[in-house]
Amino acid sequence: MPAHIKIRQRWLEREALWLLIALLAAALTRFWRSDIVEYFHDDAMLASLALEMAAGTRFPLTGILSSTGIPNSPVSVYLLALPFAFTSEIQSAIHFVMLWNTLGVALLWLIARRYFGRTVAAIASLAYALNPWAALFSRKLWAQELHTPIFLLALLVLLYGYFETRSSNRRRLAFLAQCCGPPLLLIAAQFHFAAAPLLLLFPLALWAGRRRLDKRALASAILLCALALLPYAAGLTRTLEADPTRISDALARSADSAPQFSLASISAAIRLATGWDLGSWLAPGLPLQASPLTLLALPLIGLGMQALWRKWRRLAAPILICALLPYLILLVEWTPVYIHYFIPSLPALALLSGLGAGRLLGWAGAKSWLRSVVLLGLALMFAAQALELRGAIDLVAGQHIDYPGFTTPLARLLPIRERLAPAKDALVVSGGMAWNLHHEVAVWDTLLWDEVACVRTLVPEGYAVFPAGPFVALVAPDAQRGPSLERYRRDDFLSFPTRAGGPVYELHQWESPPAWTGPPLARIEPRRFENGVELTGFHWGDDRVTLEWALPGQRVGADYQFSAQAFDAAGQRLAQLDATFWHGRHWCAGDRLLTWGPMPDQANAASLKVALYRLGTGSAAGRALNAQVLDEMGKPQGHSVDIPLQGGA
């Protein structure tokens, strides 16, 4: 074999080794203690939509709501539906996210190797693999943790299709790159609104490649972009049809806070670039040691920007847009600044570190001692970052942290799941029952998916449910303590601490439903509403009205209000109770539900009217949309059940 071929093969083997080292480092930081991850509200809601999609019961056109109240794009749901198509295990989906982000390190290596050389590729990929923030934001089911590999793929394709001077034998690949780069970028930007500034890469690519632009490729790219945006456009249109002021209201809320100059985004840039100060996110107020060695990344990034501008000026704009633009836009703080807004910038910051280190090694030249100093500094910085991540994970694994710090790790929830899984029915007693507002609802619906036949979440005050047979009651830490909660507690129960010094989950096993200890109920002939709910009994006395209902099976999205109104013989309304009915997501066939609330006694009341209704939105805002009461043949018989009262209330 000729000598030059042997040398090239040796270099290729060495490059493959460095890529393998970077991938192993990325896999270690992302998969290490993979059960010490957050599984909280947004994660569980996203998993819920993806599970429904994988099961074929729903094709979402929007994702979960953003903090502005505007629904997110469904692309994160579509991606997570892939692992859920094979298993409903939450841990498997989290491992998919970890693997997905590990592959992102390989994509960064490809970009750096092709355009900046083998040395930069090796250092940049290691910098990205070992950055504590990059690892932290690669370890849970969160829309923001899914888009970075797609951004990197989009950047690679855009650079190839628009920034390179292509040879004649690669025109077909360049044509495909020009077709696919823009839609890939648009798909990545849909994962989170904060990523929108990186869409500027598209017009920049068009300008850079204007002399090599294939008009057919541009037309194809625009068509593919339209297709990529179509599901979200349809979902957003449907949302606005139901609630036309959704976007304008969100913009008005944003306008209420006057924009002001702020260094919050610069602070976030420093922390993300170096891996410094994980405690500000994970455990506010608790000591989390960080080595000053991690700050060595800052001068490296500075040198990297200088090297980029001097040697690779043509590529400076796209790299600096990825690295800096999201921070610069938020120097004028027109919305609260959260560090996770800047996740897509992490690979570009790592690339700048690699460019800076490469420049230092270039200055060192043949001076082996100087090169050793540079390499030792890099090794110490990487080791400090890895140790900081390890210390952070050890801290959040064992010590209680108040919200909004690191919530209960998945490792603490899985043993509870194992004890609940054999049960046919489960009741989670919590501080809230709204899927889009209270995390216990979405968390246990998804953790017990395909395991427990029926999972309900109940607020104990004002509601009581009695399953038809044996069930397990899980009392969550946020459940309001009081007489109503005691209904589901037993002396013999299992206790599951969330972490040392934190609250506990209680698991109570019931072989038969507990007895109703409230006021005696008057039975009535069951009256069925169009949603399948039946009114079966009531009690009105001591300034409180109690209603008894029989429930059908689950009705996701069937969120009603209930009303009880007392009238005298002349039809004059004397008293009224309006309250939230138990959400249809929690209905289980055969369950007996009781709801109650305050309503003053009226001695001369002649009848009680009970209704179920929904609150209108959009064009129907301010209106009550009543559920019809049906007769035995299923025909509408009015908007309320009329109960005659003999001898007053």
Side-chain angles (χ1 to χ4, degrees):
M1 183 181 295
H4 71 279
I5 296 180
K6 288 183 179 181
I7 294 173
R8 183 178 180 184
Q9 182 176 351
R10 198 177 305 124
W11 269 113
L12 288 174
E13 290 173 353
R14 184 176 297 180
E15 287 189 75
L17 176 61
W18 279 110
L19 173 59
L20 179 61
I21 290 172
L23 289 176
L24 288 174
L28 181 63
T29 55
R30 285 146 181 81
F31 281 90
W32 181 65
R33 302 193 70 177
S34 63
D35 56 348
I36 307 300
V37 296
E38 284 189 293
Y39 188 62
F40 202 56
H41 196 201
D42 285 3
D43 316 74
M45 287 196 298
L46 191 58
S48 180
L49 294 176
L51 283 164
E52 291 172 359
M53 181 178 177
T57 60
R58 182 178 183 182
F59 187 85
L61 296 177
T62 57
I64 64 176
L65 283 179
S66 70
S67 57
T68 65
I70 302 173
N72 283 302
S73 166
V75 292
S76 54
V77 181
Y78 300 162
L79 183 58
L80 274 184
L82 293 177
F84 284 132
F86 300 96
T87 176
S88 61
E89 294 286 341
I90 298 300
Q91 306 97 298
S92 298
I94 291 173
H95 292 158
F96 170 82
V97 174
M98 293 171 174
L99 177 61
W100 179 251
N101 283 284
T102 300
L103 294 177
V105 174
L107 286 169
L108 178 63
W109 184 89
L110 283 172
I111 293 171
R113 176 63 186 91
R114 182 171 184 84
Y115 298 105
F116 304 106
R118 60 177 67 92
T119 300
V120 173
I123 298 172
S125 56
L126 276 173
Y128 185 39
L130 294 169
N131 183 293
W133 286 102
L136 179 67
F137 288 132
S138 301
R139 292 171 54 88
K140 57 181 281 189
L141 302 186
W142 216 20
Q144 297 94 314
E145 306 200 10
L146 297 171
H147 56 21
T148 310
I150 305 179
F151 267 122
L152 286 167
L153 180 60
L155 178 61
L156 178 62
V157 175
L158 287 171
L159 291 176
Y160 186 86
Y162 294 91
F163 287 84
E164 285 194 25
T165 302
R166 60 182 182 272
S167 58
S168 58
N169 62 339
R170 292 186 177 178
R171 287 179 179 172
R172 183 172 297 178
L173 282 177
F175 175 84
L176 290 174
Q178 290 184 2
C179 290
C180 297
L184 281 171
L185 181 65
L186 182 59
I187 290 171
Q190 287 185 66
F191 278 83
H192 195 270
F193 291 133
L198 297 190
L199 288 174
L200 185 60
L201 289 172
F202 184 20
L204 176 66
L206 291 178
W207 175 257
R210 62 192 182 279
R211 295 177 182 174
R212 298 175 298 280
L213 184 62
D214 189 309
K215 293 182 179 179
R216 295 172 303 162
L218 178 60
S220 300
I222 293 173
L223 177 61
L224 290 173
C225 284
L227 292 175
L229 198 58
L230 184 61
Y232 186 42
L236 200 55
T237 300
R238 182 180 298 177
T239 298
L240 292 176
E241 287 175 352
D243 187 1
T245 63
R246 178 72 65 89
I247 294 179
S248 59
D249 289 347
L251 293 176
R253 287 191 297 270
S254 178
D256 288 342
S257 56
Q260 56 184 351
F261 179 77
S262 170
L263 294 178
S265 64
I266 301 303
S267 171
I270 293 171
R271 286 181 284 161
L272 287 174
T274 60
W276 182 266
D277 195 26
L278 287 179
S280 62
W281 176 265
L282 294 175
L286 293 181
L288 185 58
Q289 297 298 322
S291 170
L293 288 170
T294 61
L295 299 176
L296 291 174
L298 291 178
L300 289 180
I301 289 173
L303 287 173
M305 287 191 284
Q306 183 189 40
L308 184 64
W309 185 253
R310 287 191 173 185
K311 190 174 181 180
W312 295 281
R313 187 169 299 183
R314 180 173 177 76
L315 299 176
I319 302 304
L320 292 177
I321 283 175
C322 292
L324 303 179
L325 182 61
Y327 305 100
L328 296 177
I329 285 179
L330 286 173
L331 278 175
V332 177
E333 190 175 326
W334 46 271
T335 184
V337 175
Y338 299 104
I339 198 166
H340 61 267
Y341 286 177
F342 309 110
I343 293 173
S345 71
L346 281 164
L349 292 173
L351 179 57
L352 290 175
S353 293
L355 287 166
R359 189 162 180 80
L360 284 178
L361 291 171
W363 286 343
K367 299 177 181 178
S368 58
W369 67 270
L370 191 53
R371 293 177 64 86
S372 298
V373 170
V374 174
L375 293 174
L376 177 61
L378 286 173
L380 290 175
M381 181 185 74
F382 290 151
Q385 291 178 331
L387 290 174
E388 183 180 357
L389 178 66
R390 176 182 176 179
I393 293 177
D394 286 343
L395 175 67
V396 300
Q399 185 168 342
H400 172 67
I401 300 169
D402 291 326
Y403 184 82
F406 197 93
T407 56
T408 303
L410 183 64
R412 298 284 183 157
L413 301 177
L414 292 178
I416 306 174
R417 175 188 176 275
E418 294 304 314
R419 299 305 295 257
L420 287 170
K424 178 183 178 183
D425 285 348
L427 171 63
V428 181
V429 187
S430 174
M433 61 184 182
W435 174 81
N436 61 331
L437 296 175
H438 304 108
H439 71 275
E440 299 287 358
V441 179
V443 164
W444 294 107
D445 274 1
T446 51
L447 282 178
L448 297 172
W449 191 277
D450 285 342
E451 296 287 347
V452 175
C454 194
V455 183
R456 321 152 177 81
T457 303
L458 182 82
V459 178
E461 190 53 50
Y463 305 86
V465 68
F466 302 97
F471 70 98
V472 175
L474 178 67
V475 178
D478 66 346
Q480 183 179 356
R481 265 48 185 176
S484 297
L485 176 61
E486 296 305 315
R487 180 176 295 112
Y488 298 107
R489 302 180 77 185
R490 299 172 61 95
D491 292 335
D492 53 331
F493 65 90
L494 297 177
S495 179
F496 295 87
T498 53
R499 271 171 299 196
V504 300
Y505 283 92
E506 298 176 4
L507 195 149
H508 303 262
Q509 180 73 51
W510 291 87
E511 296 301 325
S512 59
W516 167 245
T517 56
L521 301 170
R523 302 292 177 183
I524 64 171
E525 185 69 24
R527 299 296 304 277
R528 183 161 60 95
F529 291 83
E530 62 182 348
N531 57 15
V533 174
E534 293 183 349
L535 181 66
T536 59
F538 79 103
H539 178 273
W540 185 22
D542 299 325
D543 293 328
R544 187 175 89 166
V545 64
T546 302
L547 302 171
E548 181 188 53
W549 315 80
L551 298 177
Q554 186 184 55
R555 302 283 194 277
V556 174
D559 298 339
Y560 287 85
Q561 305 286 110
F562 72 91
S563 172
Q565 302 180 59
F567 293 84
D568 62 15
Q572 183 71 30
R573 185 167 58 193
L574 304 174
Q576 180 172 345
L577 166 69
D578 284 275
T580 301
F581 195 68
W582 205 28
H583 294 175
R585 176 177 291 274
H586 309 300
W587 300 351
C588 299
D591 277 6
R592 175 187 175 214
L593 173 70
L594 285 97
T595 61
W596 62 88
M599 195 166 83
D601 296 346
Q602 300 292 333
N604 59 336
S607 66
L608 188 68
K609 293 182 180 290
V610 178
L612 291 174
Y613 63 93
R614 302 175 104 169
L615 298 174
T617 59
S619 60
R623 293 170 51 195
L625 309 177
N626 289 78
Q628 293 280 350
V629 180
L630 307 179
D631 63 13
E632 293 180 356
M633 303 300 293
K635 296 181 179 180
Q637 293 294 303
H639 294 156
S640 64
V641 175
D642 298 339
I643 305 172
L645 300 175
Q646 298 178 357

